[in-house]
Amino acid sequence: MPALGTLSGGATGVAGLLRLRRAAPAQAVATPAPFHAARCAAAAAAVVPDGGQLVWGRQLRPVLLLPAAGGLLPPPSSSQAVRRQALRPPSAATSGEAKPAGFLEKYPALITGFFFFMWYFLNVIFNILNKKIYNYFPYPYFVSVIHLLVGVVYCLVSWTVGLPKRAPINSTLLKLLFPVALCHALGHVTSNVSFAAVAVSFAHTIKALEPFFNAAATQFVLGQQVPLPLWLSLAPVVLGVSMASLTELSFNWTGFINAMISNISFTYRSIYSKKAMTDMDSTNVYAYISIIALIVCIPPAVIIEGPTLLQHGFNDAIAKVGLTKFVSDLFFVGLFYHLYNQVATNTLERVAPLTHAVGNVLKRVFVIGFSIIVFGNKITTQTGIGTCIAIAGVAIYSYIKAKIEEEKRAKSA
């Protein structure tokens, strides 16, 4: 018992108890009964106060001193009980020893890098699979509904198993979230119409103009002053998109206009999101927005594409790729759409705004690059230069905006 040696009076108490236990039989033979009893009582009174402190865990007290065995000592007093309790071995919770760091705490940068990788990977896979579906099933309104439907089913299953626990919602929250969901639905549908009409790389180049619409809405809708450096950083974005559009081989007005509408819709989604700030976690907020957006997207899909789908749309797709591949493609594209949005949210919660901005720009670069490689899209030299200028402009804008926001937070702190 190594702990005993560190305790005050420990060695003396144990030695006394052992001497008492060895001496008791001999004294019982050599000493008359009256004197025996008196000497045992005196010995116990002299030894037990020290030895009694050490009784924890294993029983060290001699049998003749136990009250249950008819011994000579009375039950321990409250002070003795407290002293015994104080000498119990310290638990891990009270010892002050830090728990060993887990893998997540030991390598946070590695975990954040994994989140970024999954964000990019899921986004690239979604865009490629989405475009492949449009090559044999050009019905973006219906596919948009499938995206949201699979995501809603995923959320409902997650709520059912408690991962995460569903947050309660009321009419006030619904009123706050409905404009956000409406803009989300409109932006999602028009993005898909653009993806179906033009090359993925060109659609993402047009969507690089989203910061321009954000700045314009902040200045003229919200009435908040946008610093001059931000406006100047948007000039190469507009120039690059214009250069890419003029010589884009897959250019058509349907794709261009819908991509622009998508930019405007997502800009207003950001505005309404700021007004609809709640204490609800981001996972539940996105789940409720997806449910409302799904309800909003179903009527136009039925009205615009429903008759054509019933006449020959489904049959044509099944004839081209087969029923199994058609259904599995729709399921997986919806799953990847939901997962990449969810992982993006989780990733952005782990990093600073500047890292977020850089990561978002790199994501667009990855999507454009991989789409060109996978689909073999031919681009002109001017389109390539324009795309690079636009992406560089977005990077500069994102960097300046993040630095301004960090300075604001530093001043407010």
Side-chain angles (χ1 to χ4, degrees), residues 235-256:
V237 179
V238 177
L239 175 63
V241 172
S242 301
M243 288 179 60
S245 300
L246 290 175
T247 57
E248 170 59 38
L249 299 178
S250 67
F251 178 88
N252 64 63
W253 285 106
T254 299
F256 182 83

Side-chain angles (χ1 to χ4, degrees), residues 87-260:
L87 291 175
R88 291 186 180 275
S91 62
T94 59
S95 63
E97 296 179 1
K99 294 182 178 179
F103 185 81
L104 299 180
E105 292 79 10
K106 192 177 294 184
Y107 304 103
L110 189 61
I111 302 303
T112 301
F114 174 76
F115 271 88
F116 269 101
F117 169 78
M118 292 304 299
W119 177 22
Y120 292 0
F121 174 76
L122 293 170
N123 193 285
V124 169
I125 295 299
F126 162 73
N127 278 277
I128 291 174
L129 182 57
N130 203 43
K131 184 61 178 180
K132 285 184 175 181
I133 291 174
Y134 288 137
N135 287 339
Y136 69 83
F137 187 69
Y139 297 94
Y141 288 88
F142 177 79
V143 174
S144 299
V145 170
I146 295 299
H147 292 166
L148 295 170
L149 177 62
V150 174
V152 167
V153 172
Y154 181 94
C155 293
L156 294 177
V157 173
S158 299
W159 280 342
T160 302
V161 299
L163 295 172
K165 185 177 180 181
R166 186 182 71 84
I169 193 169
N170 51 37
S171 58
T172 303
L173 284 175
L174 280 175
K175 290 178 182 178
L176 290 174
L177 293 179
F178 183 79
V180 181
L182 181 62
C183 293
H184 178 72
L186 181 59
H188 179 56
V189 171
T190 50
S191 291
N192 278 284
V193 173
S194 178
F195 290 145
V198 298
V200 174
S201 57
F202 181 56
H204 276 279
T205 302
I206 302 172
K207 287 174 69 63
L209 279 173
E210 189 174 329
F212 174 82
F213 290 98
N214 279 328
T218 301
Q219 179 87 43
F220 302 111
V221 177
L222 296 180
Q224 299 175 4
Q225 187 67 32
V226 176
L228 181 60
L230 277 181
W231 282 115
L232 294 177
S233 68
L234 289 171
V237 179
V238 177
L239 175 63
V241 172
S242 301
M243 288 179 60
S245 300
L246 290 175
T247 57
E248 170 59 38
L249 299 178
S250 67
F251 178 88
N252 64 63
W253 285 106
T254 299
F256 182 83
I257 292 174
N258 275 277
M260 298 293 280

Side-chain angles (χ1 to χ4, degrees), residues 275-319:
K275 296 181 179 180
M277 295 296 290
T278 68
D279 294 332
M280 192 183 300
D281 64 278
S282 59
T283 302
N284 275 289
V285 168
Y286 184 70
Y288 283 120
I289 289 176
S290 297
I291 293 173
I292 299 171
L294 173 63
I295 297 172
V296 171
C297 287
I298 290 177
V302 172
I303 295 172
I304 297 174
E305 296 179 344
T308 307
L309 286 172
L310 293 176
Q311 289 177 5
H312 58 82
F314 290 125
N315 292 332
D316 290 347
I318 294 172

Side-chain angles (χ1 to χ4, degrees), residues 52 55 76-88:
V55 180
S77 65
S78 59
S79 62
Q80 289 175 329
V82 171
R83 292 167 69 189
R84 295 176 191 176
Q85 185 67 25
L87 291 175
R88 291 186 180 275

